[in-house]
mmCIF file of all heavy atoms in Angstrom:
data_model
loop_
_atom_site.group_PDB
_atom_site.id
_atom_site.type_symbol
_atom_site.label_atom_id
_atom_site.label_comp_id
_atom_site.label_asym_id
_atom_site.label_seq_id
_atom_site.Cartn_x
_atom_site.Cartn_y
_atom_site.Cartn_z
ATOM 1 N N SER A 446 -42.173 7.347 15.521
ATOM 2 C CA SER A 446 -41.411 6.119 15.741
ATOM 3 C C SER A 446 -40.878 5.657 14.386
ATOM 4 O O SER A 446 -41.367 6.061 13.330
ATOM 5 C CB SER A 446 -42.272 5.023 16.370
ATOM 6 O OG SER A 446 -43.305 4.653 15.473
ATOM 7 N N PHE A 447 -39.845 4.805 14.436
ATOM 8 C CA PHE A 447 -39.296 4.258 13.190
ATOM 9 C C PHE A 447 -38.724 2.873 13.469
ATOM 10 O O PHE A 447 -38.367 2.551 14.613
ATOM 11 C CB PHE A 447 -38.230 5.179 12.581
ATOM 12 C CG PHE A 447 -36.984 5.336 13.402
ATOM 13 C CD1 PHE A 447 -35.880 4.512 13.197
ATOM 14 C CD2 PHE A 447 -36.902 6.304 14.394
ATOM 15 C CE1 PHE A 447 -34.725 4.649 13.938
ATOM 16 C CE2 PHE A 447 -35.752 6.452 15.154
ATOM 17 C CZ PHE A 447 -34.661 5.622 14.921
ATOM 18 N N THR A 448 -38.657 2.056 12.445
ATOM 19 C CA THR A 448 -38.146 0.691 12.551
ATOM 20 C C THR A 448 -36.891 0.580 11.691
ATOM 21 O O THR A 448 -36.929 0.826 10.471
ATOM 22 C CB THR A 448 -39.181 -0.332 12.081
ATOM 23 O OG1 THR A 448 -40.371 -0.177 12.849
ATOM 24 C CG2 THR A 448 -38.643 -1.747 12.238
ATOM 25 N N TRP A 449 -35.783 0.198 12.346
ATOM 26 C CA TRP A 449 -34.494 0.081 11.644
ATOM 27 C C TRP A 449 -33.871 -1.270 11.997
ATOM 28 O O TRP A 449 -33.727 -1.611 13.159
ATOM 29 C CB TRP A 449 -33.562 1.222 12.055
ATOM 30 C CG TRP A 449 -32.171 1.133 11.493
ATOM 31 C CD1 TRP A 449 -31.820 0.927 10.190
ATOM 32 C CD2 TRP A 449 -30.951 1.234 12.218
ATOM 33 N NE1 TRP A 449 -30.459 0.909 10.050
ATOM 34 C CE2 TRP A 449 -29.881 1.100 11.284
ATOM 35 C CE3 TRP A 449 -30.631 1.439 13.557
ATOM 36 C CZ2 TRP A 449 -28.552 1.141 11.659
ATOM 37 C CZ3 TRP A 449 -29.298 1.499 13.922
ATOM 38 C CH2 TRP A 449 -28.269 1.351 12.976
ATOM 39 N N ARG A 450 -33.549 -2.046 10.985
ATOM 40 C CA ARG A 450 -32.957 -3.374 11.150
ATOM 41 C C ARG A 450 -33.803 -4.266 12.049
ATOM 42 O O ARG A 450 -33.298 -4.988 12.915
ATOM 43 C CB ARG A 450 -31.537 -3.268 11.692
ATOM 44 C CG ARG A 450 -30.562 -2.577 10.740
ATOM 45 C CD ARG A 450 -29.157 -2.535 11.290
ATOM 46 N NE ARG A 450 -28.241 -1.885 10.342
ATOM 47 C CZ ARG A 450 -26.941 -1.668 10.582
ATOM 48 N NH1 ARG A 450 -26.401 -2.080 11.731
ATOM 49 N NH2 ARG A 450 -26.188 -1.066 9.687
ATOM 50 N N GLY A 451 -35.110 -4.172 11.855
ATOM 51 C CA GLY A 451 -36.035 -5.038 12.572
ATOM 52 C C GLY A 451 -36.374 -4.603 13.984
ATOM 53 O O GLY A 451 -37.141 -5.285 14.659
ATOM 54 N N ILE A 452 -35.850 -3.481 14.434
ATOM 55 C CA ILE A 452 -36.113 -3.011 15.802
ATOM 56 C C ILE A 452 -36.909 -1.711 15.734
ATOM 57 O O ILE A 452 -36.490 -0.741 15.080
ATOM 58 C CB ILE A 452 -34.803 -2.784 16.579
ATOM 59 C CG1 ILE A 452 -34.010 -4.087 16.668
ATOM 60 C CG2 ILE A 452 -35.088 -2.220 17.972
ATOM 61 C CD1 ILE A 452 -32.667 -3.940 17.356
ATOM 62 N N ARG A 453 -38.035 -1.676 16.416
ATOM 63 C CA ARG A 453 -38.876 -0.472 16.433
ATOM 64 C C ARG A 453 -38.422 0.443 17.570
ATOM 65 O O ARG A 453 -38.231 0.014 18.704
ATOM 66 C CB ARG A 453 -40.341 -0.855 16.619
ATOM 67 C CG ARG A 453 -41.308 0.322 16.546
ATOM 68 C CD ARG A 453 -42.747 -0.179 16.522
ATOM 69 N NE ARG A 453 -43.691 0.921 16.460
ATOM 70 C CZ ARG A 453 -44.215 1.535 17.526
ATOM 71 N NH1 ARG A 453 -43.892 1.112 18.755
ATOM 72 N NH2 ARG A 453 -45.085 2.525 17.377
ATOM 73 N N ARG A 454 -38.243 1.709 17.235
ATOM 74 C CA ARG A 454 -37.775 2.692 18.204
ATOM 75 C C ARG A 454 -38.786 3.836 18.281
ATOM 76 O O ARG A 454 -39.154 4.403 17.251
ATOM 77 C CB ARG A 454 -36.384 3.226 17.802
ATOM 78 C CG ARG A 454 -35.328 2.128 17.680
ATOM 79 C CD ARG A 454 -34.034 2.660 17.089
ATOM 80 N NE ARG A 454 -33.082 1.587 16.820
ATOM 81 C CZ ARG A 454 -32.174 1.151 17.678
ATOM 82 N NH1 ARG A 454 -32.103 1.712 18.886
ATOM 83 N NH2 ARG A 454 -31.362 0.163 17.351
ATOM 84 N N ARG A 455 -39.157 4.188 19.506
ATOM 85 C CA ARG A 455 -40.078 5.310 19.726
ATOM 86 C C ARG A 455 -39.251 6.584 19.928
ATOM 87 O O ARG A 455 -38.299 6.604 20.703
ATOM 88 C CB ARG A 455 -40.962 5.050 20.934
ATOM 89 C CG ARG A 455 -42.034 6.128 21.141
ATOM 90 C CD ARG A 455 -42.912 5.767 22.315
ATOM 91 N NE ARG A 455 -43.625 4.516 22.064
ATOM 92 C CZ ARG A 455 -44.754 4.443 21.366
ATOM 93 N NH1 ARG A 455 -45.282 5.541 20.836
ATOM 94 N NH2 ARG A 455 -45.347 3.290 21.202
ATOM 95 N N VAL A 456 -39.613 7.626 19.208
ATOM 96 C CA VAL A 456 -38.879 8.898 19.265
ATOM 97 C C VAL A 456 -39.323 9.685 20.484
ATOM 98 O O VAL A 456 -40.515 9.941 20.684
ATOM 99 C CB VAL A 456 -39.112 9.710 17.973
ATOM 100 C CG1 VAL A 456 -38.436 11.074 18.076
ATOM 101 C CG2 VAL A 456 -38.575 8.936 16.760
ATOM 102 N N LYS A 457 -38.337 10.058 21.319
ATOM 103 C CA LYS A 457 -38.618 10.842 22.527
ATOM 104 C C LYS A 457 -38.409 12.323 22.279
ATOM 105 O O LYS A 457 -39.184 13.163 22.732
ATOM 106 C CB LYS A 457 -37.712 10.358 23.660
ATOM 107 C CG LYS A 457 -37.997 11.001 24.999
ATOM 108 C CD LYS A 457 -37.098 10.421 26.088
ATOM 109 C CE LYS A 457 -37.385 11.052 27.437
ATOM 110 N NZ LYS A 457 -36.495 10.491 28.494
ATOM 111 N N ARG A 458 -37.332 12.664 21.559
ATOM 112 C CA ARG A 458 -37.049 14.059 21.227
ATOM 113 C C ARG A 458 -36.648 14.138 19.764
ATOM 114 O O ARG A 458 -36.101 13.180 19.205
ATOM 115 C CB ARG A 458 -35.920 14.627 22.088
ATOM 116 C CG ARG A 458 -36.228 14.689 23.576
ATOM 117 C CD ARG A 458 -35.076 15.338 24.335
ATOM 118 N NE ARG A 458 -35.329 15.403 25.769
ATOM 119 C CZ ARG A 458 -35.043 14.428 26.614
ATOM 120 N NH1 ARG A 458 -34.485 13.309 26.171
ATOM 121 N NH2 ARG A 458 -35.309 14.559 27.897
ATOM 122 N N ALA A 459 -36.869 15.298 19.128
ATOM 123 C CA ALA A 459 -36.514 15.480 17.720
ATOM 124 C C ALA A 459 -36.257 16.950 17.452
ATOM 125 O O ALA A 459 -36.797 17.833 18.134
ATOM 126 C CB ALA A 459 -37.612 14.947 16.811
ATOM 127 N N ASP A 460 -35.430 17.193 16.454
ATOM 128 C CA ASP A 460 -35.141 18.566 16.023
ATOM 129 C C ASP A 460 -35.058 18.566 14.502
ATOM 130 O O ASP A 460 -34.444 17.684 13.899
ATOM 131 C CB ASP A 460 -33.809 19.046 16.623
ATOM 132 C CG ASP A 460 -33.604 20.537 16.425
ATOM 133 O OD1 ASP A 460 -34.563 21.211 15.990
ATOM 134 O OD2 ASP A 460 -32.490 21.034 16.692
ATOM 135 N N GLY A 461 -35.665 19.573 13.880
ATOM 136 C CA GLY A 461 -35.657 19.664 12.422
ATOM 137 C C GLY A 461 -36.978 20.207 11.931
ATOM 138 O O GLY A 461 -37.841 20.624 12.722
ATOM 139 N N PRO A 462 -37.200 20.255 10.635
ATOM 140 C CA PRO A 462 -36.309 19.679 9.618
ATOM 141 C C PRO A 462 -35.208 20.637 9.156
ATOM 142 O O PRO A 462 -35.367 21.847 9.237
ATOM 143 C CB PRO A 462 -37.269 19.392 8.468
ATOM 144 C CG PRO A 462 -38.303 20.489 8.579
ATOM 145 C CD PRO A 462 -38.463 20.743 10.055
ATOM 146 N N GLU A 463 -34.118 20.037 8.680
ATOM 147 C CA GLU A 463 -33.072 20.756 7.950
ATOM 148 C C GLU A 463 -33.206 20.359 6.487
ATOM 149 O O GLU A 463 -33.011 19.205 6.137
ATOM 150 C CB GLU A 463 -31.676 20.382 8.471
ATOM 151 C CG GLU A 463 -30.556 20.998 7.647
ATOM 152 C CD GLU A 463 -29.206 20.368 7.939
ATOM 153 O OE1 GLU A 463 -29.123 19.518 8.852
ATOM 154 O OE2 GLU A 463 -28.240 20.700 7.229
ATOM 155 N N ARG A 464 -33.572 21.332 5.659
ATOM 156 C CA ARG A 464 -33.846 21.007 4.251
ATOM 157 C C ARG A 464 -32.562 21.110 3.422
ATOM 158 O O ARG A 464 -31.857 22.118 3.468
ATOM 159 C CB ARG A 464 -34.917 21.937 3.691
ATOM 160 C CG ARG A 464 -35.258 21.689 2.231
ATOM 161 C CD ARG A 464 -36.653 22.146 1.908
ATOM 162 N NE ARG A 464 -37.663 21.310 2.563
ATOM 163 C CZ ARG A 464 -38.964 21.498 2.439
ATOM 164 N NH1 ARG A 464 -39.433 22.496 1.690
ATOM 165 N NH2 ARG A 464 -39.822 20.694 3.050
ATOM 166 N N VAL A 465 -32.291 20.042 2.680
ATOM 167 C CA VAL A 465 -31.126 19.976 1.796
ATOM 168 C C VAL A 465 -31.634 19.806 0.368
ATOM 169 O O VAL A 465 -32.419 18.896 0.085
ATOM 170 C CB VAL A 465 -30.200 18.796 2.175
ATOM 171 C CG1 VAL A 465 -29.083 18.641 1.149
ATOM 172 C CG2 VAL A 465 -29.617 19.014 3.562
ATOM 173 N N PHE A 466 -31.174 20.687 -0.513
ATOM 174 C CA PHE A 466 -31.589 20.639 -1.913
ATOM 175 C C PHE A 466 -30.547 19.903 -2.756
ATOM 176 O O PHE A 466 -29.362 19.888 -2.429
ATOM 177 C CB PHE A 466 -31.791 22.059 -2.459
ATOM 178 C CG PHE A 466 -32.916 22.803 -1.823
ATOM 179 C CD1 PHE A 466 -32.716 23.595 -0.708
ATOM 180 C CD2 PHE A 466 -34.211 22.684 -2.335
ATOM 181 C CE1 PHE A 466 -33.768 24.282 -0.111
ATOM 182 C CE2 PHE A 466 -35.262 23.367 -1.741
ATOM 183 C CZ PHE A 466 -35.042 24.161 -0.626
ATOM 184 N N GLY A 467 -31.015 19.319 -3.843
ATOM 185 C CA GLY A 467 -30.109 18.625 -4.754
ATOM 186 C C GLY A 467 -29.210 19.593 -5.500
ATOM 187 O O GLY A 467 -29.522 20.794 -5.636
ATOM 188 N N GLU A 468 -28.100 19.087 -5.970
ATOM 189 C CA GLU A 468 -27.138 19.912 -6.715
ATOM 190 C C GLU A 468 -27.437 19.753 -8.206
ATOM 191 O O GLU A 468 -26.851 18.910 -8.897
ATOM 192 C CB GLU A 468 -25.716 19.486 -6.362
ATOM 193 C CG GLU A 468 -25.401 19.732 -4.887
ATOM 194 C CD GLU A 468 -24.021 19.240 -4.463
ATOM 195 O OE1 GLU A 468 -23.475 18.338 -5.143
ATOM 196 O OE2 GLU A 468 -23.494 19.750 -3.461
ATOM 197 N N TRP A 469 -28.330 20.597 -8.702
ATOM 198 C CA TRP A 469 -28.813 20.471 -10.072
ATOM 199 C C TRP A 469 -27.716 20.725 -11.099
ATOM 200 O O TRP A 469 -27.808 20.284 -12.242
ATOM 201 C CB TRP A 469 -29.980 21.432 -10.296
ATOM 202 C CG TRP A 469 -29.657 22.854 -9.894
ATOM 203 C CD1 TRP A 469 -29.910 23.433 -8.688
ATOM 204 C CD2 TRP A 469 -29.015 23.838 -10.698
ATOM 205 N NE1 TRP A 469 -29.458 24.725 -8.664
ATOM 206 C CE2 TRP A 469 -28.908 25.013 -9.894
ATOM 207 C CE3 TRP A 469 -28.520 23.873 -11.994
ATOM 208 C CZ2 TRP A 469 -28.323 26.184 -10.366
ATOM 209 C CZ3 TRP A 469 -27.938 25.036 -12.462
ATOM 210 C CH2 TRP A 469 -27.845 26.183 -11.660
#
Side-chain angles (χ1 to χ4, degrees):
S446 64
F447 65 93
T448 303
W449 175 50
R450 295 182 179 178
I452 300 177
R453 184 171 180 270
R454 302 172 187 270
R455 185 177 297 277
V456 176
K457 185 177 181 181
R458 296 183 181 87
D460 191 9
E463 174 194 355
R464 179 155 292 180
V465 173
F466 294 91
E468 296 176 337
W469 52 266

